[in-house]
Structure formats: C-alpha cells, structure tokens
Amino acid sequence: ALEMAPAGRLRVGINMRNQLLVTGRTASGDPAGLAPSMATAFAERIGVPVEFIPYDSPAKLADDAALDKWDVAMIGADPARAAYVDFTAPYCQIEATYAVASDSTEDLRIAGCSGAAYVLWLERNLKHAMLVKADGHDATYDMYKADKLDALAGLRSKLTKDASKLPGTRLLPGKFMAVEQAACTKKGRSQGFEELQKFIEEAKQSGMVLNLMKQFGVDTELVVAPPA
C-alpha cells in the first residue's frame, strides 16, 4: 500500500470524457461508473481511501504520467502512453469503427479526435489514407462535415449515440480495432503493479467487471476482456 499510495490515499486519474466508463457523478461529486468503481475496489483491497483526479481528456491524463499527479490511472492502454507507466492487461474492450457518407475507397481522408487511443492506433497503422485530427469530439465532427472528409473514426457506441450530429452517415460493420481499457501505475512500483495486475484478472474472472457493467447499463456496449 505504501508503494502504491505514498500519500496515504490512492490518487486515481480518471478520463471523464469516456461516458461508457464514467456514467455520472455521485452525490458528493466524485466520478461514478465502471472505471471509478474498479479503482475504489482496488483501493479497498490495499486498505487506503481513494481520491479521484478527473481529466477532461485522455491525452492530458497520459501527459501527466511523468508528474506526481496520480498513483493509478484508468485509461485505454497504448504503447504511446507507456513511457512512464506499466499497463495491466485490459479489463474491458470498446470497438472502434468508421462513420462514412459514401463508398469512396480512393485517397481517403479520415477524421479523428486527437489523443484518443484509437487515433494513436491509426497513427501507427494507417497505410493508405490520411489522418486529419481535431481537439475534442464536436470539433472533429465539425471538421469532418466542413472539410467533406471521407470517414470519421470513433468508438462505435459514441458514434451511434451522436448519429443526429452526423446526418447522412452510416457506420461500417465490424471494427478496425478495439480500445483496451486497463489500469496503469508508475514504472518502478513492481510489487504494487503485481497486485494491481492480479486485482484486474480476479475482477474479470469473478464476474465483478460484468456485474459493474450491468449496474451502470453499459454491458451491451462494452465487452469483458479475455484473461491475460
């Protein structure tokens, strides 16, 4: 507990933008949802209180990994975010796909939200198309429409929910990748990381992750990750 929570409390970085993982706030104003509940359960396991450090974007949360702002973060695992932290295996997965308005396949220009895990993936893996980025979902949607781009990358659940903002588009079937939501902690906390990794695996196998998904009404949009 001392290694993971040197301040006597577990400071947990939470990405408030992902509405599948943070579905609201408690009466006291703390984040509520699958990710905060997982963090709270881990804090209870190591016997310390939890303190949430909310971020309005995953990119900012990841940038602060080098600083002493948080002890554990609940965020999409990606190599680009792993310079200062070790990631557990994922506890759940979210499908990412494209919204398109036409069937064009030549010289594609794809809109994406800067810093999102699926955009980091596209930056590494996109070969025959151009990625155009904007800050924030609404700005990305506006750019996609104003510049008449060919496709819009996003989480399937988010694109489905925001369909009214994207008239004339349809979602492609399947996925181009799945964002793997995991927990991470600062490099060098080997014992604490081992405990965190063990907690994530037990939470998947015991049914805790699925039960929390059902509790917060996101079990149709998230998938419990397979065992590591």
Side-chain angles (χ1 to χ4, degrees):
L2 192 60
E3 186 181 56
M4 289 299 271
R9 61 195 187 284
L10 188 71
R11 299 168 303 163
V12 179
I14 291 280
N15 169 26
M16 301 299 288
R17 186 190 281 176
N18 192 324
Q19 294 167 354
L20 291 176
L21 300 178
V22 182
T23 44
R25 287 186 181 268
T26 64
S28 62
D30 278 338
L34 173 60
S37 296
M38 291 284 288
T40 300
F42 179 67
E44 285 172 359
R45 179 178 174 130
I46 62 172
V48 294
V50 68
E51 177 193 353
F52 291 110
I53 314 293
Y55 285 85
D56 57 10
S57 86
K60 182 73 180 96
L61 197 171
D63 286 346
D64 276 0
L67 308 174
D68 186 30
K69 298 277 187 77
W70 46 260
D71 302 303
V72 167
M74 311 300 286
I75 190 174
D78 188 273
R81 295 173 175 170
Y84 303 101
V85 299
D86 290 319
F87 279 102
T88 66
Y91 61 92
C92 74
Q93 298 173 331
I94 314 173
E95 286 190 354
T97 188
Y98 298 113
V100 297
S102 71
D103 292 320
S104 170
T105 55
E106 301 281 310
D107 303 320
L108 290 182
R109 294 174 306 152
I110 297 171
C113 183
S114 190
Y118 54 87
V119 171
L120 296 174
W121 186 92
L122 286 172
E123 287 172 350
R124 289 193 302 275
N125 294 282
L126 205 56
K127 298 284 189 287
H128 305 293
M130 186 172 86
L131 182 62
V132 189
K133 296 177 289 184
D135 289 327
H137 290 115
D138 287 339
T140 306
Y141 297 166
D142 291 343
M143 177 184 70
Y144 166 72
K145 290 183 285 192
D147 297 348
K148 295 186 165 53
L149 301 180
D150 303 293
L152 170 67
L155 300 178
R156 177 176 292 281
S157 52
K158 175 79 175 152
L159 292 174
T160 301
K161 195 175 286 181
D162 290 347
S164 63
K165 297 180 183 178
L166 302 163
T169 63
R170 61 187 172 82
L171 297 190
L172 294 183
K175 63 180 188 285
F176 64 80
M177 62 87 74
V179 178
E180 300 195 317
Q181 293 295 331
C184 66
T185 190
K186 307 298 170 72
K187 286 186 185 294
R189 298 182 175 185
S190 52
Q191 269 184 300
F193 176 71
E194 203 174 302
E195 189 64 27
L196 184 62
Q197 177 86 292
K198 201 157 72 173
F199 163 75
I200 293 291
E201 290 309 305
E202 288 174 9
K204 289 186 288 190
Q205 288 164 12
S206 68
M208 175 182 159
V209 176
L210 182 58
N211 288 338
L212 286 170
M213 285 180 184
K214 288 177 176 172
Q215 181 184 329
F216 293 106
V218 293
D219 54 302
T220 58
E221 298 168 277
L222 298 175
V223 180
V224 178

